[in-house]
């Protein structure tokens, strides 16, 4: 096969099919810039791959037999790739060898989406605050703590202020403070999954979609709305809006959640609460006793309740004790308990 000027090569599932292309041919195509080799069953990469001097993108996903990269690639340690723009996933590993969180510090040209999966016991330290904050082109970030491990001091890892979406999975360490969230002025989508606390989020000015799953709390208090600051003047509190742009809100699989606290009448007069909320979904919240009154003053258009026994009895059509409170909502789906 004569492909001396080939720029892009994609090989899919060559392990299952009889593909004759091998490293001997690839290493002769000196102008290859993009190499994607998926599900191939390869177990080693030759050192000569360093001869592909124009290679800019290498994807070896789903090659379960591949155990390590050749020395010639490891010498190009990721911390030295300061112009790297795309990094889909980064694994912080156990022990002294392997990837470390600080290897990301100077990769400030990263853009698009990044998932950080943390696989070792020690969390970010005080000196790690600047590792992510300068990545101004990064728009989507997922922080994943595998198994029972914890980032005990995630507050030290300040996220980039330009993030548009953020996911935090399996974090059960120190609750993140209001200050930690305050810099996320552009955040539109937030997903919290399998976390041990629910932060104060009502002051996120751009947040449009909030999804919470397996969040281990018994009560969602008014602090969640961001109206807990008693030091503000009455005039300042009167101008406050909680979740000013939130449109979609989901609580999913929170079986121990019992109470969603409402607000006192004087607090309600001093703050607008979720003035753009149009869709609320509650699923798998078996112990939740009622929905707060302030929800019926939002422009809610779609309400979906499922696998939440108490709420299903309260709001189901015809015989629900509080069905009249939601009669103004145009689309209601309350599944039978």
């Amino acid at each position: 096969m004569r492909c001396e000027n080939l720029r892009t090569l994609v090989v899919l599932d060559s392990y299952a099919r009889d593909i004759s292309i091998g490293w001997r041919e690839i290493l002769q195509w000196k102008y290859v810039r993009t190499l994607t080799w998926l599900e191939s069953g390869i177990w080693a990469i030759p050192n000569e791959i360093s001869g592909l001097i124009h290679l800019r993108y290498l994807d070896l996903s789903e090659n379960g037999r591949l155990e390590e990269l050749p020395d010639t690639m490891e010498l190009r340690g990721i911390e030295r790739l300061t112009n790297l723009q795309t990094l889909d996933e980064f694994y912080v590993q156990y022990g002294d060898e392997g990837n470390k969180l600080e290897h990301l510090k100077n990769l400030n040209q990263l853009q698009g989406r990044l998932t950080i999966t943390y696989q070792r016991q020690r969390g970010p330290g005080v000196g790690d605050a600047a590792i992510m904050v300068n990545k101004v082109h990064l728009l989507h970030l997922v922080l994943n703590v595998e198994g029972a491990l914890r980032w005990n001091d995630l507050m030290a890892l300040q996220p980039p202020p330009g993030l548009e979406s953020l996911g935090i999975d399996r974090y059960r360490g120190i609750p993140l403070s209001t200050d930690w969230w305050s810099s996320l002025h552009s955040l539109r989508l937030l997903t919290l999954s399998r976390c041990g606390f629910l932060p104060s989020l009502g002051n996120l000015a751009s947040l449009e979609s909030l999804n919470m799953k397996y969040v281990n709390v018994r009560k969602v208090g008014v602090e969640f709305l961001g109206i807990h600051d008693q030091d503000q003047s009455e005039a300042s509190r009167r101008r406050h809006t909680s979740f000013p742009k939130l449109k979609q809100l989901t609580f999913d699989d929170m079986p121990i959640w019992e109470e969603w606290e409402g607000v006192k009448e004087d607090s309600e007069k001093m703050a607008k609460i979720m003035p753009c909320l149009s869709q609320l979904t509650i699923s798998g919240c078996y112990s939740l006793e009622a929905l707060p009154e302030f929800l019926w003053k939002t422009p809610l258009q779609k309400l979906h309740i499922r696998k939440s026994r108490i709420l299903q009895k309260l709001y189901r059509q015809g015989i629900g004790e509080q069905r009249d409170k939601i009669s103004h909502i145009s689309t209601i789906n309350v599944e039978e308990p």
Side-chain angles (χ1 to χ4, degrees):
M1 183 184 298
R2 297 183 60 83
C3 301
E4 290 85 355
N5 296 318
L6 187 69
R7 297 291 193 273
T8 300
L9 175 63
V10 178
V11 181
L12 301 177
D13 199 13
S14 65
Y15 187 71
R17 300 187 181 98
D18 184 15
I19 302 296
S20 60
I21 297 175
W23 286 114
R24 177 181 299 179
E25 289 82 10
I26 292 174
L27 295 174
Q28 293 176 1
W29 301 334
K30 301 297 184 181
Y31 295 99
V32 168
R33 292 177 176 270
T34 300
L35 174 57
T36 300
W37 200 329
L38 308 182
E39 297 182 276
S40 66
I42 57 175
W43 57 272
I45 300 175
N47 284 322
E48 289 78 10
I49 195 174
S50 61
L52 301 179
I53 60 174
H54 297 287
L55 188 64
R56 295 292 181 268
Y57 180 86
L58 176 63
D59 187 351
L60 299 170
S61 303
E62 301 179 43
N63 285 290
R65 296 174 60 188
L66 183 62
E67 296 182 354
E68 61 182 0
L69 297 176
D71 294 339
T72 53
M73 293 186 69
E74 292 178 352
L75 292 174
R76 293 156 49 193
I78 195 168
E79 68 273 19
R80 301 176 184 176
L81 304 180
T82 55
N83 291 318
L84 187 66
Q85 296 182 357
T86 301
L87 180 60
D88 295 331
E89 295 186 53
F90 184 79
Y91 287 83
V92 181
Q93 297 170 323
Y94 287 106
D96 296 329
E97 298 182 358
N99 296 326
K100 296 180 175 60
L101 192 62
E102 51 265 33
H103 289 168
L104 296 175
K105 184 172 184 179
N106 295 321
L107 274 60
N108 292 329
Q109 301 305 312
L110 289 178
Q111 52 188 263
R113 180 180 301 274
L114 170 62
T115 296
I116 300 177
T117 298
Y118 206 82
Q119 296 180 308
R120 62 177 182 173
Q121 189 69 33
R122 188 187 69 83
V126 176
D128 296 334
I131 287 178
M132 298 300 298
V133 71
N134 293 322
K135 293 168 178 46
V136 296
H137 306 294
L138 196 65
L139 300 180
H140 312 284
L141 177 64
V142 176
L143 302 174
N144 176 32
V145 184
E146 288 197 341
L149 301 182
R150 304 181 178 191
W151 283 7
N152 290 319
D153 194 13
L154 188 55
M155 284 187 291
L157 195 68
Q158 185 63 46
L163 281 182
E164 294 182 2
S165 74
L166 172 64
I168 300 179
D169 187 20
R170 296 184 175 101
Y171 176 62
R172 296 181 179 273
I174 300 172
L176 301 174
S177 67
T178 301
D179 291 339
W180 194 90
W181 298 98
S182 62
S183 64
L184 298 175
H185 306 297
S186 302
L187 194 67
R188 295 187 294 108
L189 169 62
L190 174 61
T191 300
L192 300 177
S193 178
R194 291 171 283 195
C195 294
F197 69 98
L198 186 61
S200 175
L201 301 171
N203 293 319
L204 290 174
S206 299
L207 191 64
E208 297 179 3
S209 181
L210 175 56
N211 304 293
M212 288 159 287
K213 186 170 185 176
Y214 298 117
V215 178
N216 191 30
V217 295
R218 294 188 180 274
K219 177 180 178 180
V220 175
V222 294
E223 296 82 7
F224 169 66
L225 301 173
I227 57 174
H228 56 286
D229 189 354
Q230 302 300 321
D231 296 328
Q232 293 182 347
S233 66
E234 179 177 333
S236 177
R237 283 185 287 164
R238 191 180 299 277
R239 295 192 298 268
H240 177 76
T241 301
S242 175
F243 292 106
K245 293 187 178 181
L246 188 67
K247 298 177 182 178
Q248 181 267 326
L249 177 59
T250 298
F251 295 93
D252 190 12
D253 284 318
M254 294 171 54
I256 71 168
W257 180 27
E258 298 175 349
E259 180 183 359
W260 189 353
E261 186 179 18
V263 295
K264 296 180 180 179
E265 186 176 352
D266 56 344
S267 297
E268 197 168 356
K269 291 178 180 178
M270 295 176 183
K272 293 182 180 179
I273 301 174
M274 303 181 186
C276 297
L277 186 66
S278 61
Q279 181 173 337
L280 172 64
T281 300
I282 297 180
S283 176
C285 300
Y286 306 102
S287 304
L288 184 59
E289 297 175 351
L291 298 178
E293 294 289 331
F294 67 77
L295 283 175
W296 317 138
K297 299 180 181 180
T298 67
L300 196 59
Q301 298 175 19
K302 296 181 179 180
L303 174 63
H304 187 189
I305 298 174
R306 62 187 296 268
K307 293 195 298 184
S308 304
R309 292 186 296 268
I310 300 174
L311 297 185
Q312 288 168 310
K313 292 179 180 179
L314 286 176
Y315 302 110
R316 60 181 171 175
Q317 188 171 6
I319 59 175
E321 296 177 9
Q322 299 187 26
R323 178 72 183 197
D324 60 316
K325 293 185 177 181
I326 64 174
S327 59
H328 63 287
I329 301 174
S330 58
T331 302
I332 302 173
N333 184 0
V334 179
E335 297 185 8
E336 291 298 314

